[in-house]
Amino acid sequence: MRAAVVRRTALAASAVTLALLVSACGGSSDDDAKGAGKSAAAGSAASKSDAAASDVKALSAAELEKASLTAADLKGYQVTTMKDGERGTADQVTVDKAECLPVALALGLVEREEAVASTARQAMPKPDASAATADDPLAAISLVTSAVSLSSYDGADASEVLAEMKKTAAECTGFTATVQGEKTVYSKVAEVPVSGGEEALGLNLAMESDGDSVPMSLVLVRQAGTVATIATADMSGATGGTAENELPTEIISAQVAKLA
């Protein structure tokens, strides 16, 4: 994709989830396995960790809002609250490999049934007017965008979310996701080091789009009964940019600080 086209895509998608952003770029894949989502959901329920139930109390909706990121927490970023309907739902997503469904759902910030409360934000670097040119006035717009959700859980549920995702990270190396009828190929899913909170998981992904490879990352951080999910796409990877997405350390640090 040409740089200007990618920037227009990123701009148009700035208020939606990463799942819909990547679908908007288009992609191709083999036919997805019908019903794989249902199989994975059943499997994930059976594979919950054996962590003992604790007295962890979920943050309320009001407390979770206070812990969510704002523009004041991220200098140089635009932070917006995602509206109802801008996050993915489980019935919108299918995958060709059942073991990869938790990754696909996390990319779409799909709220889990056991979550007591949940919030979602979109974070993008502010436009840099000095980067614009006559040939490409949209160059001022950053090609990196992140979606951040917080979900609160009672007891050991938050620990079980991380346990499930760590199991998925060990089994899933790539997959094809179908979101609202649009297929997207993730040719790479690889665990990468990340720290924060009481436990954390980081993944680097490669999304194939029109012959280009778009680097993405997915980070989950647990603090007590709250799980932060941060999904990031670097569209510069489709214009000769970095081959591997760097984890959004500023966003991770800011969110961990608010949860501490």
Side-chain angles (χ1 to χ4, degrees):
M1 289 182 283
R2 292 175 301 165
V5 174
V6 175
R7 288 191 179 94
R8 290 190 183 95
T9 300
L11 178 62
S14 63
V16 299
T17 68
L18 264 291
L20 300 183
L21 181 147
V22 297
S23 294
C25 285
S28 61
S29 70
D30 295 330
D31 290 340
D32 59 282
K34 301 297 183 181
K38 293 182 180 179
S39 298
S44 65
S47 63
K48 282 188 174 182
S49 73
D50 295 330
S54 68
D55 58 357
V56 171
K57 182 66 176 175
L59 294 182
S60 66
E63 291 171 325
L64 212 57
E65 281 293 336
K66 289 182 64 176
S68 297
L69 292 175
T70 68
D73 303 313
L74 283 169
K75 185 178 180 180
Y77 280 80
Q78 296 175 321
V79 179
T80 57
T81 299
M82 296 172 66
K83 300 176 182 178
D84 291 342
E86 291 181 346
R87 296 175 65 172
T89 58
D91 60 354
Q92 294 175 329
V93 183
T94 60
V95 294
D96 63 337
K97 297 178 181 177
E99 65 271 20
C100 296
L101 182 60
V103 174
L105 296 178
L107 286 172
L109 304 188
V110 173
E111 185 175 358
R112 300 172 70 105
E113 290 183 2
E114 60 269 40
V116 173
S118 185
T119 65
R121 300 288 188 266
Q122 196 88 9
M124 295 180 65
K126 291 181 179 179
D128 179 6
S130 65
T133 65
D135 292 334
D136 188 4
L138 292 179
I141 301 169
S142 172
L143 299 184
V144 180
T145 182
S146 296
V148 185
S149 73
L150 292 183
S151 296
S152 60
Y153 301 88
D154 282 323
D157 285 350
S159 295
E160 290 170 355
V161 170
L162 266 293
E164 178 190 66
M165 288 300 298
K166 288 176 180 179
K167 181 176 184 294
T168 294
E171 298 174 347
C172 177
T173 58
F175 63 98
T176 296
T178 302
V179 181
Q180 295 185 330
E182 294 288 338
K183 293 187 178 184
T184 303
V185 176
Y186 296 89
S187 59
K188 167 190 166 184
V189 179
E191 188 170 354
V192 292
V194 64
S195 61
E198 295 179 19
E199 58 178 326
L201 172 70
L203 298 175
N204 264 332
L205 304 92
M207 182 197 75
E208 304 307 316
S209 178
D210 294 339
D212 294 306
S213 185
V214 177
M216 300 182 66
S217 68
L218 179 64
V219 174
L220 281 82
V221 178
R222 180 184 68 81
Q223 180 65 44
T226 302
V227 175
T229 301
I230 305 168
T232 302
D234 181 358
M235 302 303 292
S236 67
T239 59
T242 57
E244 185 170 278
N245 192 25
E246 296 181 0
L247 297 182
T249 54
E250 287 181 298
I251 296 176
I252 296 170
S253 296
Q255 186 60 85
V256 169
K258 294 203 76 170
L259 288 173

